[in-house]
Amino acid sequence: MSSPTLPYWARLKAEGGFPLRRGAWYRVTKFAKDAVVLDVHGQPVVVPRTAVEIVGTPPQHWAVVSRPARSVMLPESWGPNYGVCPNCRHRAPLHGPRETLRCPRCNGLFPLRVALSAQGAN
């Protein structure tokens, strides 16, 4: 495995048995041929490269994520999608059309863009 010379970030593209939050970006600490090692709350987590999207800079807009089929942690009132803050990874409801959304946890104001994650992918 090799350590990246520049910072890279990854997030899940599809459901899997990984301890990663849907829509959240994680720092890549090492690359292997078929896998990457991510820093998840200070712990290394190995994930297949095919399971993640890898970028040089994480987008600075809310990730719009489809609600998991059997979610028990998200209120039903949030509807079929929710947002993940690009700064602190906090989840928030997406009520009504808007261009920006302020995070209730970190108070950051970021653009809200509907992406593939709201249409079935993560």
Side-chain angles (χ1 to χ4, degrees):
M1 286 195 179
S2 65
S3 297
T5 55
L6 299 173
Y8 286 93
W9 300 84
R11 73 173 175 176
L12 282 177
K13 290 194 296 187
E15 288 289 331
F18 311 107
L20 307 176
R21 289 187 56 186
R22 296 162 49 93
W25 292 94
Y26 296 91
R27 190 171 57 84
V28 176
T29 58
K30 294 189 182 194
F31 285 100
K33 182 180 176 185
D34 296 325
V36 292
V37 179
L38 306 179
D39 178 3
V40 180
H41 305 295
Q43 300 296 315
V45 174
V46 179
V47 180
R49 280 189 184 221
T50 57
V52 293
E53 171 186 359
I54 299 172
V55 297
T57 303
Q60 289 300 300
H61 59 80
W62 286 84
V64 179
V65 180
S66 296
R67 176 190 199 84
R70 294 177 294 278
S71 174
V72 295
M73 300 296 289
L74 300 171
E76 287 290 329
S77 63
W78 285 17
N81 301 313
Y82 63 92
V84 178
C85 176
N87 184 53
C88 72
R89 301 183 189 136
H90 184 70
R91 298 173 188 167
L94 304 173
H95 296 299
R98 58 179 55 149
E99 292 184 14
T100 61
L101 182 62
R102 185 168 301 280
C103 179
R105 178 191 284 161
C106 72
N107 204 35
L109 182 65
F110 302 100
L112 179 63
R113 298 184 190 149
V114 176
L116 291 176
S117 58
Q119 300 169 7
N122 289 330

